Amino acid sequence: MSRTNSSTRQRLLNAALELFSFQGVTETTTRQIAELAQVNEVTLFRQFGSKQGLLLALIEESAVFTHLGESLRAQVNQTNHVDEALRNYASDRLKALEQIPELLRSVVGEAGKYTVENRRGLGQGINLANRDVANYLATVIEREQLHCRLSAEKLSSLLNVMLFGYLVIELTSEFHELWDNQEDFLESLVEVFLYGAVSPLPESSAGVLSLDKNNPPHPPLEVEENLNEKVADLPASLVRSILLQAKKQGLQDYALAYVLFGAGLRPQEVVALERLHQIIDEHQHLLQITQGAVRQVPVNQWIMGKRYGSYIRNPLSQWLKSRKDDQLAMFVNEKGQPFSEEELRASWQTFTSGLLTPEGQPLFVEQARQTWCVEMLMKGIDLEDLSILSGWDTTQLHPYARRGREKAALERALRLDQKA
């Protein structure tokens, strides 16, 4: 295409976009477009065939479709996880669509007036874009060796439909209460794609809330593995009460509660700890985790706004200093043998006896780890760093980020009320 033809085509596209956005597709004539573009009306027909052909070209050459495949191929190497890939694509597509809001309103409102050829052409453009997105998602899913119940093509088509539907609602209605803002929508969208919206409760969970003292309550394996999907962190006052009751039970229970809330470890990681797994001096107190994700984790002096000693003098260091045995395990039972996970849960039940969540539910030991995650995010740590410290993938931590934002928003609202 010559430079002159290219310039003429672009003037027609610019003129059409301006008029379509201002007065709608139906009310705009080809004569008006040609006059605004300062070309002969015959030139418009020669370039695009009709007004609908011009509309189709305008949509296909907008930022929604243009170079989509190239940009996704470049973007796929810059994403580490599938959640990041989903969020980046969704955010970019919404930004592209938001550049042509009035045009989108016209397209949606007047779609029934398009010719079959134009509808077919638009459908082909959508299919091409969908294949580009499917290749993008398939690459990320295969790279992370994830299992997907749907094909990448169906996954991408559902994603695109949801994005377009979101924008249509935003452009055509106000005062709805479907989501707080775009970030809230994107967060929900990613969670639906990663975790699903509905799943059956495992049969073995029926007795989760049993208060049998001989069988301490704890979630079955299937529930325990998915506890992070619904964050159940504990308020500061309740954490303080737990630590105080643990202190009354003895040095080991106090140290155990301190590690659970100060380092955010899983029960199986706690019982695997040995004395030599701590690195302690006046500048730091670290634990070497050998179960699951091998890593080092700091033991926080400050827990939910209260300080529990120093790096070298705290509930854990005091417990280990009091020991007179040669057992390597950090926590031991009455026989001097390493703590089992069931014994740890029994201790937890003992020093949380009589305490309930604000919802009136008994406390699970896993809630200490959940509380730690939310607190770390509230203190300013980012998801990547928390992923390293917790051993959880960033996708598993998104509910905690959401919970952290909720708590931060509430705190800001309370401060505003106090100022008033």
Side-chain angles (χ1 to χ4, degrees):
M1 185 181 296
S2 68
R3 181 175 297 179
T4 301
N5 287 342
S6 177
S7 175
T8 300
R9 176 185 174 84
Q10 192 57 52
R11 291 208 310 274
L12 284 166
L13 288 170
N14 292 341
L17 176 60
E18 181 178 338
L19 290 170
F20 288 164
S21 299
F22 179 70
Q23 60 190 33
V25 178
T26 302
E27 298 300 321
T28 299
T29 66
T30 53
R31 182 183 295 276
Q32 290 174 325
I33 296 172
E35 289 178 353
L36 185 59
Q38 297 181 340
V39 300
N40 193 292
E41 190 175 4
V42 175
T43 303
L44 184 153
F45 293 124
R46 187 182 302 117
Q47 289 271 359
F48 301 102
S50 66
K51 181 175 68 174
Q52 298 301 335
L54 177 54
L55 173 62
L56 177 60
L58 187 61
I59 294 173
E60 289 180 337
E61 295 183 26
S62 71
V64 179
F65 294 126
T66 304
H67 307 304
L68 177 58
E70 294 177 15
S71 65
L72 290 177
R73 283 190 289 274
Q75 192 179 91
V76 75
N77 297 320
Q78 300 172 4
T79 56
N80 297 319
H81 302 289
V82 67
D83 68 302
E84 187 180 357
L86 285 167
R87 185 174 285 99
N88 287 349
Y89 169 73
S91 180
D92 288 348
R93 289 309 92 199
L94 288 180
K95 289 178 182 176
L97 289 166
E98 286 170 343
Q99 294 175 17
I100 51 173
E102 298 302 327
L103 178 59
L104 284 177
R105 288 191 181 97
S106 294
V107 169
V108 172
E110 303 175 37
K113 302 177 182 179
Y114 297 164
T115 65
V116 174
E117 290 75 14
N118 289 148
R119 293 167 68 90
R120 183 181 297 115
L122 183 56
Q124 290 172 350
I126 293 173
N127 288 338
L128 180 60
N130 203 63
R131 283 197 293 271
D132 288 333
V133 179
N135 291 334
Y136 170 69
L137 294 177
T139 300
V140 178
I141 291 170
E142 182 178 355
R143 185 175 63 196
E144 295 191 45
Q145 298 183 334
L146 300 175
H147 170 69
C148 188
R149 297 181 182 179
L150 299 176
S151 67
E153 288 75 15
K154 287 187 177 180
L155 187 65
S156 62
S157 63
L158 284 171
L159 178 60
N160 287 328
V161 166
M162 293 174 75
L163 290 173
F164 188 72
Y166 161 81
L167 204 58
V168 167
I169 292 174
E170 287 294 298
L171 293 174
T172 58
S173 63
E174 295 184 57
F175 308 113
H176 64 74
E177 299 179 357
L178 300 178
W179 40 76
D180 295 335
N181 48 43
Q182 187 176 113
E183 183 61 30
D184 181 34
F185 166 77
L186 289 175
E187 194 74 32
S188 300
L189 177 70
V190 171
E191 288 189 29
V192 166
F193 271 82
L194 292 181
Y195 307 119
V198 179
S199 60
L201 191 66
E203 293 180 4
S204 56
S205 66
V208 162
L209 299 183
S210 168
L211 296 180
D212 183 355
K213 293 185 177 180
N214 296 320
N215 296 287
H218 64 87
L221 182 60
E222 297 91 338
V223 177
E224 186 175 324
E225 290 176 345
N226 293 302
L227 264 174
N228 61 311
E229 293 183 14
K230 178 174 172 52
V231 180
D233 60 305
L234 304 175
S237 58
L238 183 53
V239 172
R240 179 64 174 167
S241 296
I242 292 171
L243 284 158
L244 288 175
Q245 288 196 175
K247 184 177 182 180
K248 292 178 181 179
Q249 292 295 322
L251 284 176
Q252 175 164 265
D253 280 351
Y254 193 28
L256 182 60
Y258 176 66
V259 169
L260 288 169
F261 283 104
L265 303 184
R266 297 181 178 90
Q268 57 267 39
E269 292 172 337
V270 174
V271 298
L273 288 172
E274 297 183 356
R275 297 192 198 194
L276 53 81
H277 288 160
Q278 69 168 342
I279 303 171
I280 184 170
D281 58 41
E282 60 183 8
H283 303 295
Q284 63 181 356
H285 190 179
L286 306 176
L287 294 177
Q288 179 69 41
I289 311 306
T290 60
Q291 294 292 309
V294 177
R295 63 197 189 279
Q296 288 184 342
V297 179
V299 185
N300 298 329
Q301 298 177 66
W302 289 86
I303 300 174
M304 307 296 285
K306 297 287 185 178
R307 191 174 185 179
Y308 295 84
S310 64
Y311 287 127
I312 58 176
R313 182 180 174 83
N314 53 58
L316 179 58
S317 66
Q318 291 295 97
W319 156 243
L320 295 177
K321 185 177 180 180
S322 72
R323 295 266 296 274
K324 306 300 181 184
D325 59 86
D326 298 324
Q327 177 58 250
L328 295 178
M330 190 168 287
F331 297 101
V332 295
N333 58 25
E334 293 178 353
K335 298 180 180 179
Q337 298 302 309
F339 239 30
S340 68
E341 188 175 334
E342 289 303 313
E343 288 171 328
L344 180 151
R345 293 180 183 278
S347 290
W348 168 271
Q349 186 182 15
T350 298
F351 60 70
T352 61
S353 177
L355 300 176
L356 298 172
T357 68
E359 295 77 21
Q361 299 296 323
L363 306 175
F364 295 123
V365 67
E366 285 77 9
Q367 288 175 288
R369 176 173 167 83
Q370 295 197 356
T371 304
W372 172 82
C373 282
V374 174
E375 185 184 22
M376 293 295 283
L377 289 165
M378 292 284 289
K379 288 179 177 179
I381 197 168
D382 61 36
L383 283 184
E384 289 291 340
D385 288 342
L386 185 57
S387 174
I388 294 171
L389 294 180
S390 67
W392 267 340
D393 189 89
T394 53
T395 58
Q396 297 173 281
L397 292 171
H398 281 127
Y400 296 90
R402 168 74 180 178
R403 175 60 179 152
R405 290 196 296 271
E406 290 175 353
K407 293 187 70 173
L410 182 59
E411 288 183 2
R412 287 194 292 271
L414 289 172
R415 286 198 295 270
L416 288 174
D417 184 63
Q418 291 168 0
K419 288 181 181 179

